Amino acid sequence: MTKEELLAMPADDYMQADQLAYFQAVIQAMKVETQARIEQSRSAIESLDSPADPADVASVEEERHWLVNTIERDQRLLPQLEQALGRIQEGTFGWCDDSGEPIGLKRLLISPITKYCIEAQERHEQIDRHQRQV
């Protein structure tokens, strides 16, 4: 199934077997890509040499720092991907955790790991901003 076919489906087909299978494949592919990126970044870190020139040391350290940040970001993503796959198995994928309303295909295509509809996400972000200010 393509993205266009998915979006062309009737509203009554929301989160039926075909749509769930589509998102499961997308999320599985994201998981494989993320794991591969983690391994590539780790290999890149291991292959970095310690240069003798002090000017090159800063550049190597900057690259190492960037690679570590990439690994950390991807490691935070993996559990979210697993949770999304779990929601597919439970039959709750595509439905807002707060309101129970449909999240929407367009939103899920942009971010298949999302747990909230737009309104609930905005509410959560507002709460987070308020808590950071306090």
Side-chain angles (χ1 to χ4, degrees), residues 16-91:
Q16 296 299 322
D18 288 345
Q19 292 183 354
L20 290 173
Y22 176 87
F23 283 108
Q24 184 170 17
V26 166
I27 295 167
Q28 283 286 35
M30 288 175 69
K31 182 179 169 187
V32 168
E33 290 170 16
T34 301
Q35 290 169 328
R37 218 174 22 249
I38 289 171
E39 288 307 312
Q40 289 171 344
S41 295
R42 285 183 177 153
S43 295
I45 287 173
E46 290 172 6
S47 69
L48 289 176
D49 292 328
S50 296
D53 184 2
D56 292 337
V57 171
S59 134
V60 168
E61 282 307 310
E62 184 176 338
E63 185 174 354
R64 182 175 284 123
H65 180 71
W66 182 81
L67 288 166
V68 168
N69 285 341
T70 300
I71 291 170
E72 288 173 352
R73 183 191 68 233
D74 286 340
Q75 286 178 327
R76 285 190 305 270
L77 178 59
L78 283 176
Q80 294 173 350
L81 294 167
E82 286 294 335
Q83 290 169 3
L85 291 170
R87 288 192 302 277
I88 289 173
Q89 296 304 314
E90 295 166 359

